[in-house]
Amino acid sequence: METAATENKKNIYRTLCEEITGQDTGKEFTLKGWVMRYRDHGGLVFIDLRDYSGVMQIVFDENIKGESFKTAKKLKNEYVISVTGAVRNRPGGTENPHLKTGKIEILANALQILNTCETLPFQIEEETEVNEFTRLKYRYLDLRSKRLKDNLIFRSKFTYLIREFLNNRGFFDIETPFLTKSTPEGSRDFLVPSRLNHGHFFALPQSPQLFKQILMVSGFERYYQIVRCFRDEDLRADRQPEFTQLDMEMSFVEMQDIISVTEELFAGIFEKLLNIKIGLPFKALDYEEAFDKYGSDKPDTRFELIITCLSDIFTNSSLNVFKNALSTGGTIKAICFPNGSNLLSRKDIDDLLSAVKDFGGKGLAWTKVGENNSLDGGISKFINDEEKASLIKRLAAKNGDIIFYQADTKKTANTVLGRLRLYLAKKYNLIPENRFDLLWVVNFPLFEYSDEEKKLVSVHHPFTSPAKKDIAILETDPLSVKSDSYDLVLNGEEIGGGSIRIHNPLLQEKIFKILSISPEDARLKFGFLLDALSFGAPPHGGIAFGIDRILMLLRNENSIRDVIAFPKTQKAYCPLSDAPSPVKDAQLKELGIRLYDTANKNIKK
RNA sequence: GGGGCUGUAGUUCAGACGGUUAGAACGCCGGCCUGUCACGCCGGAGGUCGCGGGUUCGAUCCCCGUCGGCCCCGCCA
């Protein structure tokens, strides 16, 4: 990626460090920025001046007349200065190949200190990693570092390219309310009390889902928004309480239309921003295949370790765990870890067992593959020659591999091996770097059974359209019904998902019935959407993407916090602003709110 | 709600069976230095060992509680 400055030549009011090149020797410039480093050699002072474009070395020489040398002696790290001088080539042998401007420097003849700086709580660009809490508290300092600054500049370009692409294709950027109605479905809402309606609350939107559908009813046809969404759930490295989605909705479309627009959008961005060409169309996997082969609905396809079913090979197995699994309707599955015998010690294998238990597995059977298609160790003595030959052939196992087995229900065997697969890949560096695998997961089931609620629930959301071919079996065999929905997966992370929506009120009624949502309930929860759908709603569908996650992956970061200017800690606290914080009694009174119990003692009087 | 790791100088870390004055590096302050670029050299300051309680003659160290941070499970239609 080009740096901000070299690409953006439209700087109107001043010169930036990296705009100056070897072509400019002899010319005089005034640069403004921060003292990144200060090196005092007595009669000669060097500083590295940093502005948002990059770095330029400034030299102060005691032989240059004027006050600048004297002033330079007072400089300290992160002082803000304005410095004027002529560009010159550095003396032979003193060029710095690590700097973009390393062949030149500016010999200062005027210097003005625009602002001083307190001793820093941590060094900017320090090699050692500083505690994240401290970095968040002084986020403005951390954002001066190249890494975070580049991330945010990249983010700006990323969203610019999205807007450019979509605007060129007739999409309209339309804002939807942040103060909206709480819907009990989905994730926990952030609530906002209403002063004018005591006892009533707004919710911050989990996404603009209902409003974007209503915009389709209004006839906008192509909507998008890069919009903040709010979910009051526990945080993770890839989850913040507020995050940004690219939200899209289109009318008179079918699934393939949405998929095509998305592919074009991403292929364009990857090429422009990363100079990576992505083959079209993207790969696609059925939901079921994803689970069978990767044990996940967001498979990481950058490496193999494919999960393989061996049930038929072991129908007459002498091993009890295998026998029991099969007789209770379960399955036997395995992954073959190439060269595992050499990579894993016996202790490593034992350690895997505890990992597998964390993943929900009961145990971990394994065998090593020896010479001439033999099996050693683990459960090998329970595997007869016929079974051996079949499984080695099916897994394409070679001398030195290790095979890990799971005998369990299909679901458990898949998820356990899926997580083991990821665990092994990370631990033994099987994941190639700088590779981006974009993948659609399609043919999701429309419903799944919730053990908790003892009823069918939507896999996506209640407005997702069933696949046309399955509408006939909606009531007779709901669990076999597929939906017209699709997820986009990048390197094993779900980065987006969407669906074709139901626009037929009768079909929508049927779905609610299957979901055991009474007409009264439906009205209470989504009445305004149902009304809208009854007034000439066009066929429509859409998709939404997690911008933060995508950026995290493209920037090779481990957390979305590193691509967000002002993120929160895992307890959803902002060390910079000290939010959330108690409020005054008077504020609560105005809202008609009184706090329960312990919270009271935190109130500021 | 649960599991794991974690909290010592401004920062990153070390530390000791529980025993004088808690160390290092970087940063900071003062001085020297004309080709450095993580400049170098000399000197100096800087610590409620997260907080509260307990055990003990004595606790940064052991025990209990609590607060914070990071990762994960649950949760996130």
Side-chain angles (χ1 to χ4, degrees), chain A residues 40 63 88 94 105 121 131 239 460:
Chain A
D40 186 343
N63 299 317
R88 69 178 186 192
T94 66
E105 62 189 11
N131 175 312
R239 283 192 230 156
H460 196 56

PDB file of all heavy atoms in Angstrom, chain A residues 40 63 88 94 105 121 131 239 460, chain B residues 10 12 34-37 39 75 77:
ATOM      1  N   ASP A  40      21.767  14.082  20.242  1.00  0.00           N
ATOM      2  CA  ASP A  40      22.595  15.261  20.464  1.00  0.00           C
ATOM      3  C   ASP A  40      24.073  14.860  20.397  1.00  0.00           C
ATOM      4  O   ASP A  40      24.528  14.046  21.201  1.00  0.00           O
ATOM      5  CB  ASP A  40      22.251  15.835  21.850  1.00  0.00           C
ATOM      6  CG  ASP A  40      22.965  17.153  22.085  1.00  0.00           C
ATOM      7  OD1 ASP A  40      23.932  17.461  21.357  1.00  0.00           O
ATOM      8  OD2 ASP A  40      22.562  17.871  23.005  1.00  0.00           O
ATOM      9  N   ASN A  63      27.224  25.782  13.526  1.00  0.00           N
ATOM     10  CA  ASN A  63      27.821  26.793  12.656  1.00  0.00           C
ATOM     11  C   ASN A  63      26.796  27.567  11.836  1.00  0.00           C
ATOM     12  O   ASN A  63      27.150  28.519  11.144  1.00  0.00           O
ATOM     13  CB  ASN A  63      28.822  26.128  11.711  1.00  0.00           C
ATOM     14  CG  ASN A  63      29.944  25.468  12.497  1.00  0.00           C
ATOM     15  OD1 ASN A  63      30.449  26.062  13.466  1.00  0.00           O
ATOM     16  ND2 ASN A  63      30.295  24.249  12.124  1.00  0.00           N
ATOM     17  N   ARG A  88      19.111  18.421   1.513  1.00  0.00           N
ATOM     18  CA  ARG A  88      20.398  18.057   0.917  1.00  0.00           C
ATOM     19  C   ARG A  88      20.594  16.553   1.017  1.00  0.00           C
ATOM     20  O   ARG A  88      19.959  15.882   1.818  1.00  0.00           O
ATOM     21  CB  ARG A  88      21.548  18.794   1.622  1.00  0.00           C
ATOM     22  CG  ARG A  88      21.789  18.319   3.041  1.00  0.00           C
ATOM     23  CD  ARG A  88      22.966  19.053   3.656  1.00  0.00           C
ATOM     24  NE  ARG A  88      23.302  18.508   4.959  1.00  0.00           N
ATOM     25  CZ  ARG A  88      24.130  19.110   5.810  1.00  0.00           C
ATOM     26  NH1 ARG A  88      24.705  20.262   5.506  1.00  0.00           N
ATOM     27  NH2 ARG A  88      24.405  18.551   6.978  1.00  0.00           N
ATOM     28  N   THR A  94      26.327   7.717   5.181  1.00  0.00           N
ATOM     29  CA  THR A  94      25.443   7.972   6.325  1.00  0.00           C
ATOM     30  C   THR A  94      23.966   7.857   5.942  1.00  0.00           C
ATOM     31  O   THR A  94      23.099   8.258   6.695  1.00  0.00           O
ATOM     32  CB  THR A  94      25.693   9.373   6.929  1.00  0.00           C
ATOM     33  OG1 THR A  94      25.300  10.355   5.965  1.00  0.00           O
ATOM     34  CG2 THR A  94      27.135   9.575   7.299  1.00  0.00           C
ATOM     35  N   GLU A 105      18.222  14.758   3.969  1.00  0.00           N
ATOM     36  CA  GLU A 105      17.959  15.342   5.278  1.00  0.00           C
ATOM     37  C   GLU A 105      17.717  16.824   5.068  1.00  0.00           C
ATOM     38  O   GLU A 105      17.934  17.355   3.968  1.00  0.00           O
ATOM     39  CB  GLU A 105      19.161  15.133   6.210  1.00  0.00           C
ATOM     40  CG  GLU A 105      20.435  15.819   5.707  1.00  0.00           C
ATOM     41  CD  GLU A 105      21.675  15.426   6.504  1.00  0.00           C
ATOM     42  OE1 GLU A 105      21.586  14.472   7.292  1.00  0.00           O
ATOM     43  OE2 GLU A 105      22.719  16.076   6.333  1.00  0.00           O
ATOM     44  N   PRO A 121       3.969   8.422  29.242  1.00  0.00           N
ATOM     45  CA  PRO A 121       3.677   7.232  30.048  1.00  0.00           C
ATOM     46  C   PRO A 121       4.257   5.972  29.418  1.00  0.00           C
ATOM     47  O   PRO A 121       4.482   4.980  30.093  1.00  0.00           O
ATOM     48  CB  PRO A 121       2.149   7.166  30.080  1.00  0.00           C
ATOM     49  CG  PRO A 121       1.685   8.026  28.971  1.00  0.00           C
ATOM     50  CD  PRO A 121       2.754   9.038  28.703  1.00  0.00           C
ATOM     51  N   ASN A 131       1.512  -2.778  28.137  1.00  0.00           N
ATOM     52  CA  ASN A 131       0.210  -3.159  28.669  1.00  0.00           C
ATOM     53  C   ASN A 131      -0.924  -2.439  27.949  1.00  0.00           C
ATOM     54  O   ASN A 131      -0.927  -1.226  27.820  1.00  0.00           O
ATOM     55  CB  ASN A 131       0.259  -2.780  30.146  1.00  0.00           C
ATOM     56  CG  ASN A 131      -1.040  -2.975  30.853  1.00  0.00           C
ATOM     57  OD1 ASN A 131      -2.090  -2.557  30.380  1.00  0.00           O
ATOM     58  ND2 ASN A 131      -0.968  -3.624  31.983  1.00  0.00           N
ATOM     59  N   ARG A 239     -14.733  -9.062  19.085  1.00  0.00           N
ATOM     60  CA  ARG A 239     -16.059  -8.517  19.385  1.00  0.00           C
ATOM     61  C   ARG A 239     -15.967  -7.301  20.271  1.00  0.00           C
ATOM     62  O   ARG A 239     -15.341  -7.344  21.332  1.00  0.00           O
ATOM     63  CB  ARG A 239     -16.890  -9.547  20.132  1.00  0.00           C
ATOM     64  CG  ARG A 239     -17.456 -10.620  19.284  1.00  0.00           C
ATOM     65  CD  ARG A 239     -18.461 -11.339  20.141  1.00  0.00           C
ATOM     66  NE  ARG A 239     -18.229 -12.747  20.099  1.00  0.00           N
ATOM     67  CZ  ARG A 239     -18.617 -13.593  21.054  1.00  0.00           C
ATOM     68  NH1 ARG A 239     -19.217 -13.135  22.132  1.00  0.00           N
ATOM     69  NH2 ARG A 239     -18.400 -14.863  20.911  1.00  0.00           N
ATOM     70  N   HIS A 460     -30.903 -18.094  11.039  1.00  0.00           N
ATOM     71  CA  HIS A 460     -30.506 -16.741  10.666  1.00  0.00           C
ATOM     72  C   HIS A 460     -31.401 -15.725  11.382  1.00  0.00           C
ATOM     73  O   HIS A 460     -31.064 -15.247  12.450  1.00  0.00           O
ATOM     74  CB  HIS A 460     -30.579 -16.598   9.142  1.00  0.00           C
ATOM     75  CG  HIS A 460     -29.862 -15.413   8.604  1.00  0.00           C
ATOM     76  ND1 HIS A 460     -28.539 -15.175   8.842  1.00  0.00           N
ATOM     77  CD2 HIS A 460     -30.292 -14.399   7.839  1.00  0.00           C
ATOM     78  CE1 HIS A 460     -28.175 -14.046   8.249  1.00  0.00           C
ATOM     79  NE2 HIS A 460     -29.227 -13.562   7.632  1.00  0.00           N
TER      80      HIS A 460
ATOM     81  P     G B  10       6.429   4.880  38.733  1.00  0.00           P
ATOM     82  OP1   G B  10       6.620   6.111  39.492  1.00  0.00           O
ATOM     83  OP2   G B  10       5.356   3.922  39.100  1.00  0.00           O
ATOM     84  O5'   G B  10       6.277   5.260  37.205  1.00  0.00           O
ATOM     85  C5'   G B  10       5.100   5.890  36.728  1.00  0.00           C
ATOM     86  C4'   G B  10       5.217   6.001  35.244  1.00  0.00           C
ATOM     87  O4'   G B  10       6.421   6.753  34.939  1.00  0.00           O
ATOM     88  C3'   G B  10       5.396   4.676  34.521  1.00  0.00           C
ATOM     89  O3'   G B  10       4.151   4.111  34.184  1.00  0.00           O
ATOM     90  C2'   G B  10       6.191   5.075  33.287  1.00  0.00           C
ATOM     91  O2'   G B  10       5.354   5.649  32.306  1.00  0.00           O
ATOM     92  C1'   G B  10       7.097   6.176  33.847  1.00  0.00           C
ATOM     93  N9    G B  10       8.397   5.668  34.334  1.00  0.00           N
ATOM     94  C8    G B  10       8.890   5.804  35.601  1.00  0.00           C
ATOM     95  N7    G B  10      10.070   5.275  35.752  1.00  0.00           N
ATOM     96  C5    G B  10      10.370   4.755  34.510  1.00  0.00           C
ATOM     97  C6    G B  10      11.518   4.065  34.065  1.00  0.00           C
ATOM     98  O6    G B  10      12.544   3.748  34.697  1.00  0.00           O
ATOM     99  N1    G B  10      11.422   3.699  32.729  1.00  0.00           N
ATOM    100  C2    G B  10      10.346   3.993  31.929  1.00  0.00           C
ATOM    101  N2    G B  10      10.445   3.557  30.676  1.00  0.00           N
ATOM    102  N3    G B  10       9.265   4.638  32.324  1.00  0.00           N
ATOM    103  C4    G B  10       9.342   4.989  33.613  1.00  0.00           C
ATOM    104  P     U B  12       4.279  -1.977  30.797  1.00  0.00           P
ATOM    105  OP1   U B  12       3.114  -2.491  30.067  1.00  0.00           O
ATOM    106  OP2   U B  12       4.270  -1.927  32.273  1.00  0.00           O
ATOM    107  O5'   U B  12       5.567  -2.806  30.349  1.00  0.00           O
ATOM    108  C5'   U B  12       5.763  -3.148  28.983  1.00  0.00           C
ATOM    109  C4'   U B  12       7.059  -3.900  28.828  1.00  0.00           C
ATOM    110  O4'   U B  12       8.159  -3.058  29.265  1.00  0.00           O
ATOM    111  C3'   U B  12       7.188  -5.140  29.705  1.00  0.00           C
ATOM    112  O3'   U B  12       6.520  -6.254  29.130  1.00  0.00           O
ATOM    113  C2'   U B  12       8.698  -5.320  29.763  1.00  0.00           C
ATOM    114  O2'   U B  12       9.198  -5.898  28.577  1.00  0.00           O
ATOM    115  C1'   U B  12       9.172  -3.866  29.840  1.00  0.00           C
ATOM    116  N1    U B  12       9.395  -3.423  31.233  1.00  0.00           N
ATOM    117  C2    U B  12      10.635  -3.685  31.797  1.00  0.00           C
ATOM    118  O2    U B  12      11.523  -4.253  31.200  1.00  0.00           O
ATOM    119  N3    U B  12      10.793  -3.240  33.090  1.00  0.00           N
ATOM    120  C4    U B  12       9.858  -2.585  33.853  1.00  0.00           C
ATOM    121  O4    U B  12      10.138  -2.251  35.002  1.00  0.00           O
ATOM    122  C5    U B  12       8.591  -2.356  33.207  1.00  0.00           C
ATOM    123  C6    U B  12       8.412  -2.773  31.943  1.00  0.00           C
ATOM    124  P     U B  34      31.759  17.800  19.222  1.00  0.00           P
ATOM    125  OP1   U B  34      32.902  18.679  18.945  1.00  0.00           O
ATOM    126  OP2   U B  34      30.444  18.357  19.658  1.00  0.00           O
ATOM    127  O5'   U B  34      31.502  16.901  17.921  1.00  0.00           O
ATOM    128  C5'   U B  34      30.381  16.051  17.854  1.00  0.00           C
ATOM    129  C4'   U B  34      30.033  15.807  16.404  1.00  0.00           C
ATOM    130  O4'   U B  34      29.608  17.056  15.788  1.00  0.00           O
ATOM    131  C3'   U B  34      31.195  15.273  15.563  1.00  0.00           C
ATOM    132  O3'   U B  34      30.633  14.361  14.622  1.00  0.00           O
ATOM    133  C2'   U B  34      31.672  16.503  14.810  1.00  0.00           C
ATOM    134  O2'   U B  34      32.267  16.215  13.569  1.00  0.00           O
ATOM    135  C1'   U B  34      30.349  17.242  14.592  1.00  0.00           C
ATOM    136  N1    U B  34      30.489  18.682  14.368  1.00  0.00           N
ATOM    137  C2    U B  34      30.042  19.167  13.158  1.00  0.00           C
ATOM    138  O2    U B  34      29.551  18.454  12.303  1.00  0.00           O
ATOM    139  N3    U B  34      30.199  20.516  12.993  1.00  0.00           N
ATOM    140  C4    U B  34      30.737  21.391  13.885  1.00  0.00           C
ATOM    141  O4    U B  34      30.811  22.576  13.590  1.00  0.00           O
ATOM    142  C5    U B  34      31.178  20.815  15.122  1.00  0.00           C
ATOM    143  C6    U B  34      31.052  19.516  15.312  1.00  0.00           C
ATOM    144  P     G B  35      31.399  12.968  14.338  1.00  0.00           P
ATOM    145  OP1   G B  35      31.587  12.303  15.648  1.00  0.00           O
ATOM    146  OP2   G B  35      32.541  13.173  13.436  1.00  0.00           O
ATOM    147  O5'   G B  35      30.287  12.172  13.532  1.00  0.00           O
ATOM    148  C5'   G B  35      29.088  11.753  14.183  1.00  0.00           C
ATOM    149  C4'   G B  35      28.119  11.271  13.143  1.00  0.00           C
ATOM    150  O4'   G B  35      27.475  12.405  12.509  1.00  0.00           O
ATOM    151  C3'   G B  35      28.760  10.442  12.027  1.00  0.00           C
ATOM    152  O3'   G B  35      27.852   9.434  11.640  1.00  0.00           O
ATOM    153  C2'   G B  35      28.831  11.432  10.863  1.00  0.00           C
ATOM    154  O2'   G B  35      28.820  10.821   9.597  1.00  0.00           O
ATOM    155  C1'   G B  35      27.541  12.215  11.110  1.00  0.00           C
ATOM    156  N9    G B  35      27.477  13.534  10.470  1.00  0.00           N
ATOM    157  C8    G B  35      28.317  14.601  10.594  1.00  0.00           C
ATOM    158  N7    G B  35      27.940  15.625   9.880  1.00  0.00           N
ATOM    159  C5    G B  35      26.798  15.203   9.229  1.00  0.00           C
ATOM    160  C6    G B  35      25.957  15.867   8.310  1.00  0.00           C
ATOM    161  O6    G B  35      26.047  17.023   7.879  1.00  0.00           O
ATOM    162  N1    G B  35      24.906  15.077   7.905  1.00  0.00           N
ATOM    163  C2    G B  35      24.705  13.797   8.311  1.00  0.00           C
ATOM    164  N2    G B  35      23.646  13.183   7.811  1.00  0.00           N
ATOM    165  N3    G B  35      25.472  13.137   9.174  1.00  0.00           N
ATOM    166  C4    G B  35      26.494  13.905   9.584  1.00  0.00           C
ATOM    167  P     U B  36      28.156   7.898  12.105  1.00  0.00           P
ATOM    168  OP1   U B  36      29.423   7.823  12.848  1.00  0.00           O
ATOM    169  OP2   U B  36      27.928   7.046  10.931  1.00  0.00           O
ATOM    170  O5'   U B  36      26.949   7.651  13.113  1.00  0.00           O
ATOM    171  C5'   U B  36      27.093   7.947  14.495  1.00  0.00           C
ATOM    172  C4'   U B  36      25.816   8.504  15.026  1.00  0.00           C
ATOM    173  O4'   U B  36      25.483   9.735  14.351  1.00  0.00           O
ATOM    174  C3'   U B  36      24.604   7.616  14.775  1.00  0.00           C
ATOM    175  O3'   U B  36      24.522   6.578  15.721  1.00  0.00           O
ATOM    176  C2'   U B  36      23.459   8.613  14.912  1.00  0.00           C
ATOM    177  O2'   U B  36      23.207   8.897  16.271  1.00  0.00           O
ATOM    178  C1'   U B  36      24.069   9.868  14.283  1.00  0.00           C
ATOM    179  N1    U B  36      23.664  10.048  12.877  1.00  0.00           N
ATOM    180  C2    U B  36      22.384  10.539  12.654  1.00  0.00           C
ATOM    181  O2    U B  36      21.618  10.791  13.558  1.00  0.00           O
ATOM    182  N3    U B  36      22.057  10.710  11.340  1.00  0.00           N
ATOM    183  C4    U B  36      22.847  10.455  10.249  1.00  0.00           C
ATOM    184  O4    U B  36      22.405  10.663   9.124  1.00  0.00           O
ATOM    185  C5    U B  36      24.156   9.963  10.568  1.00  0.00           C
ATOM    186  C6    U B  36      24.512   9.782  11.837  1.00  0.00           C
ATOM    187  P     C B  37      24.026   5.131  15.284  1.00  0.00           P
ATOM    188  OP1   C B  37      24.048   4.300  16.486  1.00  0.00           O
ATOM    189  OP2   C B  37      24.735   4.725  14.068  1.00  0.00           O
ATOM    190  O5'   C B  37      22.508   5.411  14.875  1.00  0.00           O
ATOM    191  C5'   C B  37      21.548   5.763  15.870  1.00  0.00           C
ATOM    192  C4'   C B  37      20.269   6.173  15.189  1.00  0.00           C
ATOM    193  O4'   C B  37      20.510   7.287  14.322  1.00  0.00           O
ATOM    194  C3'   C B  37      19.683   5.111  14.279  1.00  0.00           C
ATOM    195  O3'   C B  37      18.916   4.228  15.061  1.00  0.00           O
ATOM    196  C2'   C B  37      18.815   5.943  13.336  1.00  0.00           C
ATOM    197  O2'   C B  37      17.589   6.292  13.925  1.00  0.00           O
ATOM    198  C1'   C B  37      19.659   7.224  13.202  1.00  0.00           C
ATOM    199  N1    C B  37      20.487   7.236  11.989  1.00  0.00           N
ATOM    200  C2    C B  37      19.912   7.696  10.798  1.00  0.00           C
ATOM    201  O2    C B  37      18.720   8.050  10.804  1.00  0.00           O
ATOM    202  N3    C B  37      20.666   7.735   9.674  1.00  0.00           N
ATOM    203  C4    C B  37      21.938   7.343   9.719  1.00  0.00           C
ATOM    204  N4    C B  37      22.652   7.405   8.595  1.00  0.00           N
ATOM    205  C5    C B  37      22.541   6.869  10.913  1.00  0.00           C
ATOM    206  C6    C B  37      21.788   6.830  12.022  1.00  0.00           C
ATOM    207  P     C B  39      18.034   6.530  19.006  1.00  0.00           P
ATOM    208  OP1   C B  39      17.821   7.291  20.239  1.00  0.00           O
ATOM    209  OP2   C B  39      17.384   6.942  17.757  1.00  0.00           O
ATOM    210  O5'   C B  39      19.615   6.474  18.725  1.00  0.00           O
ATOM    211  C5'   C B  39      20.524   6.498  19.806  1.00  0.00           C
ATOM    212  C4'   C B  39      21.902   6.190  19.295  1.00  0.00           C
ATOM    213  O4'   C B  39      22.430   7.344  18.584  1.00  0.00           O
ATOM    214  C3'   C B  39      22.941   5.944  20.376  1.00  0.00           C
ATOM    215  O3'   C B  39      22.855   4.608  20.884  1.00  0.00           O
ATOM    216  C2'   C B  39      24.223   6.178  19.601  1.00  0.00           C
ATOM    217  O2'   C B  39      24.516   5.099  18.737  1.00  0.00           O
ATOM    218  C1'   C B  39      23.832   7.402  18.763  1.00  0.00           C
ATOM    219  N1    C B  39      24.179   8.651  19.464  1.00  0.00           N
ATOM    220  C2    C B  39      25.532   9.032  19.478  1.00  0.00           C
ATOM    221  O2    C B  39      26.369   8.330  18.913  1.00  0.00           O
ATOM    222  N3    C B  39      25.883  10.167  20.136  1.00  0.00           N
ATOM    223  C4    C B  39      24.939  10.893  20.742  1.00  0.00           C
ATOM    224  N4    C B  39      25.338  11.993  21.362  1.00  0.00           N
ATOM    225  C5    C B  39      23.571  10.522  20.748  1.00  0.00           C
ATOM    226  C6    C B  39      23.235   9.407  20.101  1.00  0.00           C
ATOM    227  P     C B  75     -24.517 -21.036  23.945  1.00  0.00           P
ATOM    228  OP1   C B  75     -25.857 -21.625  23.949  1.00  0.00           O
ATOM    229  OP2   C B  75     -23.620 -21.265  22.799  1.00  0.00           O
ATOM    230  O5'   C B  75     -24.655 -19.461  24.143  1.00  0.00           O
ATOM    231  C5'   C B  75     -25.667 -18.901  24.996  1.00  0.00           C
ATOM    232  C4'   C B  75     -25.443 -17.421  25.145  1.00  0.00           C
ATOM    233  O4'   C B  75     -24.095 -17.197  25.633  1.00  0.00           O
ATOM    234  C3'   C B  75     -25.491 -16.612  23.849  1.00  0.00           C
ATOM    235  O3'   C B  75     -26.809 -16.306  23.460  1.00  0.00           O
ATOM    236  C2'   C B  75     -24.686 -15.379  24.224  1.00  0.00           C
ATOM    237  O2'   C B  75     -25.438 -14.506  25.024  1.00  0.00           O
ATOM    238  C1'   C B  75     -23.571 -15.998  25.069  1.00  0.00           C
ATOM    239  N1    C B  75     -22.383 -16.329  24.236  1.00  0.00           N
ATOM    240  C2    C B  75     -21.481 -15.306  23.950  1.00  0.00           C
ATOM    241  O2    C B  75     -21.694 -14.176  24.389  1.00  0.00           O
ATOM    242  N3    C B  75     -20.390 -15.581  23.183  1.00  0.00           N
ATOM    243  C4    C B  75     -20.194 -16.807  22.721  1.00  0.00           C
ATOM    244  N4    C B  75     -19.113 -17.028  21.971  1.00  0.00           N
ATOM    245  C5    C B  75     -21.102 -17.876  22.997  1.00  0.00           C
ATOM    246  C6    C B  75     -22.171 -17.591  23.754  1.00  0.00           C
ATOM    247  P     A B  77     -26.939 -12.509  17.308  1.00  0.00           P
ATOM    248  OP1   A B  77     -25.884 -13.395  16.762  1.00  0.00           O
ATOM    249  OP2   A B  77     -27.198 -11.246  16.721  1.00  0.00           O
ATOM    250  O5'   A B  77     -28.343 -13.300  17.353  1.00  0.00           O
ATOM    251  C5'   A B  77     -28.429 -14.627  17.797  1.00  0.00           C
ATOM    252  C4'   A B  77     -29.695 -15.207  17.252  1.00  0.00           C
ATOM    253  O4'   A B  77     -30.619 -14.156  16.932  1.00  0.00           O
ATOM    254  C3'   A B  77     -29.501 -16.032  15.981  1.00  0.00           C
ATOM    255  O3'   A B  77     -30.373 -17.174  16.052  1.00  0.00           O
ATOM    256  C2'   A B  77     -29.999 -15.082  14.908  1.00  0.00           C
ATOM    257  O2'   A B  77     -30.453 -15.744  13.777  1.00  0.00           O
ATOM    258  C1'   A B  77     -31.114 -14.379  15.634  1.00  0.00           C
ATOM    259  N9    A B  77     -31.521 -13.101  15.050  1.00  0.00           N
ATOM    260  C8    A B  77     -32.793 -12.708  14.771  1.00  0.00           C
ATOM    261  N7    A B  77     -32.897 -11.498  14.240  1.00  0.00           N
ATOM    262  C5    A B  77     -31.584 -11.095  14.175  1.00  0.00           C
ATOM    263  C6    A B  77     -31.006  -9.914  13.715  1.00  0.00           C
ATOM    264  N6    A B  77     -31.690  -8.880  13.227  1.00  0.00           N
ATOM    265  N1    A B  77     -29.676  -9.792  13.784  1.00  0.00           N
ATOM    266  C2    A B  77     -28.979 -10.823  14.285  1.00  0.00           C
ATOM    267  N3    A B  77     -29.399 -11.981  14.760  1.00  0.00           N
ATOM    268  C4    A B  77     -30.724 -12.061  14.674  1.00  0.00           C
TER     269        A B  77
END
